[in-house]
Amino acid sequence: MQTGITQAPFGQLPDGRAITQFTLTNARGMVAKVIDYGGVITELHAPDRDGNLADVVLGFDTLEPYTADSPYFGALIGRFGNRIGQGRFTLDGQSYQLPVNNGRNHLHGGPDGFDRVKWEATVDGANLRLSYRSPDGEMGYPGNLDATVVYTLTDDDELVVSFHAVTDKATPVNLTQHSYFNLAGDGDILGHVLTIDADAFVAIDAGSIPTGELTPVTGTPFDFRMPRPIGERIGQPDKQLRHGGGYDHNFALNKPPGKAMTRAARVCEPVSGRVLELWTEEPGVQFYSGNFLDGSLAGKGRTYQHRSGFCLEPQHFPDSPNQPHFPNAILRPGQVYQTESRFRFLVEPDA
């Protein structure tokens, strides 16, 4: 078995630029595949309790669907992950209008966000480094932003995602990774058992924009402080579930002061025994239960039906530029945006 990073062609963009797929393999046989278009994780093969590998992320076999209507499968998200209400914000007295691509709102950096650009890739040992300069005014954002993302697959079965960015003008920055997971490798995710280390979540309106409130999870379908199946309460008559079409909410993580690396969430798929833990320095995590998947997309031998994947997106809070009491998401010249998240794969023994 070859460990380290290898590369192979993965198609061409319409303008002729070649896209490369990088395969990261660790000493235990776990495999992650990443392309330099959108920094997309196209495959992630993790072992079950018997040592059998399965691809546990949703995605496609070829480049074309990623450039078409992919719902951010596996992609890097920027400049701003999640929604900004009406695509508007005011910064240092100046108003900015971003393109809207989610009803009346701006989502995941706009229609041509970081998920739809070619990143410059370099390999440094076990590290895949992706870099992109977002020019001043791109998708309406101020300032030239130089972003770097490093993927590392460790021999402890952790996929580490490290983000770094600097700017020459104050700008909102909220970078994240948007893989859809299915730890069984197929079927729906309603039987996956979820824990989220959060006492509160960000309430949203009917357009999925934060109301500004942090709502305690106690007594709600959003209480995942103890392990609960994702599907156990997803159909309850709850206003927040109606607004999101299921779970599509940012959880305010229980964290000590500062930028500590803490566990945000744990998901177990009982049949295979596969476990995913998300550890992050971010203050929040968006839990999304695949509500808008409808069977119209297919790839890698699967059809992506309703709720056939879930997302755990480590991030700052949605609409932060318009919510001054949320954690600050403005990067200024001279500052360094630096954050790391770890997707840790484990197995539970058979009960």
Side-chain angles (χ1 to χ4, degrees):
M1 178 182 65
Q2 182 176 4
T3 61
I5 301 178
T6 60
Q7 56 191 75
F10 197 76
Q12 286 189 340
L13 295 175
D15 63 9
R17 287 180 296 167
I19 298 302
T20 300
Q21 184 177 68
F22 297 84
T23 299
L24 291 67
T25 307
N26 73 4
R28 292 152 62 100
M30 188 172 169
V31 174
K33 296 188 178 184
V34 180
I35 56 174
D36 52 6
Y37 177 80
V40 169
I41 298 171
T42 58
E43 299 180 31
L44 188 58
H45 298 260
D48 66 7
R49 65 168 62 93
D50 297 319
N52 300 311
L53 294 173
D55 186 359
V56 296
V57 295
L58 279 54
F60 302 113
D61 307 277
T62 60
L63 177 61
E64 287 73 22
Y66 289 111
T67 66
D69 59 353
S70 169
Y72 307 99
F73 281 165
L76 296 175
I77 302 297
R79 286 188 194 190
F80 196 90
N82 219 310
R83 295 169 177 88
I84 295 177
Q86 300 183 48
R88 299 176 190 163
F89 65 92
T90 299
L91 178 56
D92 296 340
Q94 183 169 346
S95 296
Y96 295 90
Q97 178 65 60
L98 311 177
V100 296
N101 60 323
N102 181 244
R104 300 172 60 199
N105 304 315
H106 177 86
L107 175 66
H108 291 333
D112 292 305
F114 286 8
D115 59 300
R116 292 185 176 270
V117 301
K118 185 179 187 298
W119 294 68
E120 292 301 316
T122 56
V123 174
D124 174 20
N127 302 316
L128 174 62
R129 186 179 307 275
L130 301 174
S131 300
Y132 177 68
R133 165 164 274 210
S134 176
D136 185 17
E138 183 175 54
M139 291 290 98
Y141 288 94
N144 295 296
L145 186 79
D146 290 301
T148 301
V149 182
V150 178
Y151 287 115
T152 308
L153 183 60
T154 75
D155 288 338
D156 295 323
D157 288 353
E158 282 189 332
L159 182 64
V160 183
V161 189
S162 300
F163 297 91
H164 177 280
V166 294
T167 184
D168 58 8
K169 191 184 295 185
T171 188
V173 181
N174 186 25
L175 308 181
T176 192
Q177 218 296 326
H178 202 300
S179 284
Y180 287 64
F181 297 97
N182 183 320
L183 300 181
D186 205 353
D188 66 45
I189 46 81
L190 299 178
H192 286 51
V193 178
L194 172 66
T195 309
I196 301 179
D197 297 314
D199 293 333
F201 70 97
V202 177
I204 57 174
D205 65 18
S208 293
I209 296 300
T211 63
E213 307 176 64
L214 294 185
T215 301
V217 300
T218 302
T220 77
F222 294 81
D223 191 349
F224 286 98
R225 291 173 296 183
M226 297 296 290
R228 305 290 288 265
I230 290 172
E232 182 180 26
R233 297 164 297 172
I234 202 168
Q236 288 189 1
D238 176 89
K239 182 171 74 171
Q240 285 296 309
L241 287 175
R242 286 198 302 273
H243 286 341
Y247 297 106
D248 191 7
H249 295 74
N250 178 74
F251 286 72
L253 297 173
N254 301 334
K255 297 182 77 75
K259 272 188 61 178
M261 174 72 71
T262 57
R263 193 185 77 166
R266 183 183 193 271
V267 188
C268 176
E269 199 287 300
V271 177
S272 67
R274 290 189 186 92
V275 174
L276 168 62
E277 290 186 348
L278 170 64
W279 292 71
T280 186
E281 296 176 329
E282 288 295 286
V285 62
Q286 185 85 4
F287 168 50
Y288 172 56
S289 51
N291 312 319
F292 300 111
L293 298 173
D294 60 4
S296 61
L297 298 174
K300 301 190 294 186
R302 310 181 219 172
T303 298
Y304 299 124
Q305 304 287 352
H306 191 223
R307 296 180 175 148
S308 59
F310 69 88
C311 302
L312 291 170
E313 305 156 54
Q315 58 171 20
H316 274 53
F317 296 2
D319 201 37
S320 291
N322 297 312
Q323 307 273 357
H325 58 293
F326 283 0
N328 175 55
I330 303 300
L331 181 67
R332 296 184 177 276
Q335 296 177 336
V336 176
Y337 177 97
Q338 183 76 49
T339 186
E340 183 173 287
S341 297
R342 294 171 172 258
F343 297 88
R344 179 179 296 172
F345 289 87
L346 309 162
V347 291
E348 270 193 353
D350 202 355

